[in-house]
Every structure is written in structure tokens, then in C-alpha cells.
Amino acid sequence: MPESIDEQELRVLVTNRTEPSRDVVLLELARADGGALPAWTPGAHVDLVLRDDVVRQYSLCGEPADRARWRVAVLREADGRGGSLLAHALRPGDVVRARGPRNHFPLVEADRYVFVAGGIGVTPIVPMLREVIARGADWELVYGGRTRHSMAFRAELEALAPDRVTVYPQDEVGVIDLPRHLGEPTPGTVVYACGPGGLLEAVEASCAGWPAGALHTERFTPKDVGAPVRSDAFEVELRRSGLVVSVPPERTILDVVTDAGVDVLSSCTEGTCGSCETVVLDGAVDHRDSLLTPEEQTANETMMICVSRASCARLVLDL
């Protein structure tokens, strides 16, 4: 299972609100009851319940050692599903529910790091850079955005080490020159990338010749995984509940399990947040998430039941 530090639901208070760049709001959050916030590590995100029917995931971009406050940066997306507009409407004094933190993008030990960020995808990388610098490891950051003014934390990141940070404002220089930064794999180097789907697909293509496990990505939107392996119904045994349910082609395992009265934590329902990750006890999985690494999918130990399905007649889950 991935690193999961705390799955409790908290009430958090908005204590400060700033705008670090155009269309981005930085929210500082504290426990409404005044207590210490759950611990977290670089790469972690939290769920904010912005409305009963609107839950969104935001990467933590503050200092992990600071248990008094969390920081999240939210891009305003006028054509999105509405979550960012609700987040941008928050003001100091407002209280929202939060779940987590949860980390499916943990920072591994390495001699050298190449960080590739696109737009708001820079948020999980900010605390990673601080950690890497504290470790004394070698690193470089490649950061792309529409314009300089739209790139949150740009000045702060450039100030860390100007010779290690390369920015690509698209209106000035075009898209990130990935062959320049990822052209040849080097021993002991890992790549961390977060940003729009098109950027991540390009990074994956550039890293195709790198050693297995060298590339680590986090997606904000699901990738296209094609049609399911099976087009018919399959059975799912819920071992702890003593139930067997049938999942038809038009429904998800999460929907059917929830209707059967089994309580499962879920949030994005797109296979990107990891909240519904479930242990697989038996059977082969048609992994359709955008979160697990190819190695984790091959291991077949867990699955995201909001999108993944069976590639066999019967799955057995630890539910």
C-alpha cells in the first residue's frame, strides 16, 4: 500500500489567502479546534470537501515540519467542474472539511533528481526541492507555464539556485525542451514530473529508455486507458463482508460495493487520488487508474475500485 499518514476527516480553518500568481490562490489552513495537523511528507495531498458533492485534491506545498498550518495552491479554472471556483471563493475565517493527507507521489532516495513541472503541477515539487536540498543531493528543476506571471512560486524557486532552475514561459520560448533535460539517462538519477496530461505523456516518451522505476509522475486528470479488457459482468467477493456482488459493464466496482452497504472512502472517482485503493486478495485486475506505477500494477496487490475492473471472472477484495 502507498504511504498513508492519516485518513481522518478534519475541520480546517482558512487563516490566510494570497495570490502568488495570476489565477492562482494560496490558502493557509489550520485545524479549526486549534490542534496539531496530521504529519505529511513531500508529495502528499489532501482532499478538501468544498461542498457535500464537491471534493477536490490539492498538493501540500508548505513545510512538512509545520504542524500548525497546511498550504495549498489552487488554479482558477473557469471551464472546469466548479471546484476551483469554490476554492477561490474561500476567505480567512471560512471552515471546510479535509481528509488525509495521502501520499502516492513520495520522494525516493537518489543521487540526483530532475524535476519537471507544468503550471500548477509545481505545487508538490516545492517541498520536494526543499527536502532534496536538505539532503545535499544534486538536482535541477525544469518549469513551464503559459507566461511568467502565471507561474506560481517562480521567483521563490529561481532564488533557490538560479543555475539549477530553467523556466519555460511558453509565450516567450515555447514548450519545455525535454530532449535537452531528459535526453540521456544518467546513473542514480530519478525524474519527478507533474502537470498537464500532454506534458506527462511527452515526459513518459522522453524517459522510455530510462531504467524501470526512474520516472515518477502525478496526474491531476485521468489518462486515456482505452476500452476495458472485459465487456461483460464479473463477480467480486468482499472477503471481510462475506458478500459476493456482480459488477455489470456499465457500473463501477465502487458503485456496486457502496450499494451493497460496504463503506469505502472515495473522492475523485477518476482514478487519480488514491482514496479508494483496495487490497486485492485474488484475481487479475484490469488497472485503469492514473496513479499506480506500471510496476505496482503488475504486482496486482491493490486497485482503484472507482475505475479499475476485473480481467478475470472473479476478483476477491479485502473489503
Side-chain angles (χ1 to χ4, degrees):
M1 292 288 283
E3 178 184 346
S4 182
I5 300 169
D6 198 327
E7 277 298 320
Q8 63 181 297
E9 182 169 291
L10 304 170
R11 285 167 52 84
V12 292
L13 172 73
V14 179
T15 59
N16 195 28
R17 181 187 187 279
T18 57
E19 297 181 9
S21 66
R22 185 180 301 161
D23 292 330
V24 173
V25 64
L26 180 65
L27 302 174
E28 294 185 4
L29 308 168
R31 280 185 70 139
D33 62 9
L37 289 162
W40 61 281
T41 54
H45 69 260
V46 293
D47 298 344
L48 293 187
V49 185
L50 300 168
R51 205 171 59 200
D52 286 344
D53 60 340
V54 179
V55 182
R56 296 292 184 267
Q57 295 74 45
Y58 299 112
S59 296
L60 292 168
C61 56
E63 294 283 354
D66 186 354
R67 301 289 298 277
R69 65 174 181 169
W70 284 339
R71 300 172 79 207
V72 298
V74 184
L75 172 67
R76 184 181 184 275
E77 298 180 273
D79 298 326
R81 296 179 297 160
S84 70
L85 300 181
L86 291 172
H88 273 243
L90 292 173
R91 295 292 185 272
D94 289 340
V95 175
V96 296
R97 287 148 50 208
R99 300 171 185 157
R102 187 180 307 117
N103 198 343
H104 283 269
F105 196 42
L107 187 65
V108 301
E109 291 282 351
D111 296 328
R112 181 172 180 271
Y113 300 82
V114 179
F115 296 100
V116 182
I120 199 64
V122 76
T123 50
I125 289 173
V126 172
M128 287 184 176
L129 280 175
R130 298 193 191 105
E131 175 66 21
V132 165
I133 291 170
R135 293 179 186 178
D138 190 12
W139 62 275
E140 72 167 304
L141 168 65
V142 184
Y143 182 14
R146 293 188 304 276
T147 68
R148 287 183 185 273
H149 298 299
S150 71
M151 299 169 72
F153 309 113
R154 176 185 53 81
E156 172 187 332
L157 294 169
E158 287 180 312
L160 290 175
D163 58 327
R164 295 174 183 263
V165 178
T166 306
V167 297
Y168 284 86
Q170 191 167 351
D171 64 334
E172 298 177 24
V173 298
V175 298
I176 295 174
D177 184 358
L178 291 177
R180 171 187 169 190
H181 302 279
L182 302 175
E184 293 292 334
T186 54
T189 299
V190 294
V191 178
Y192 276 79
C194 185
L199 172 64
L200 296 185
E201 289 162 11
V203 170
E204 290 171 346
S206 296
C207 290
W210 285 58
L215 175 61
H216 303 260
T217 62
E218 182 170 66
R219 292 177 177 269
F220 295 143
T221 56
K223 58 185 177 183
D224 183 4
V225 294
V229 171
R230 296 177 63 98
S231 59
D232 55 349
F234 56 89
E235 289 187 342
V236 177
E237 177 185 340
L238 312 179
R239 180 65 56 83
R240 282 189 285 121
S241 302
L243 299 173
V244 176
V245 297
S246 178
V247 181
E250 71 277 6
R251 304 198 70 201
T252 67
I253 296 175
L254 176 63
D255 289 338
V256 173
V257 165
T258 302
D259 285 352
V262 178
D263 188 24
V264 180
L265 183 66
S266 66
S267 179
C268 73
T269 68
E270 294 181 327
T272 58
C273 78
S275 60
C276 70
E277 186 167 15
T278 301
V279 171
V280 179
L281 300 176
D282 194 24
V285 178
D286 175 13
H287 290 285
R288 307 181 60 75
D289 66 276
S290 302
L291 198 60
L292 296 176
T293 66
E295 294 78 14
E296 289 170 331
Q297 292 184 347
T298 300
N300 209 57
E301 295 176 349
T302 67
M303 67 183 297
M304 307 302 162
I305 62 172
C306 66
V307 291
S308 294
R309 305 183 68 78
S311 58
C312 59
R314 186 183 179 103
L315 281 177
V316 183
L317 303 181
D318 186 26
L319 288 173

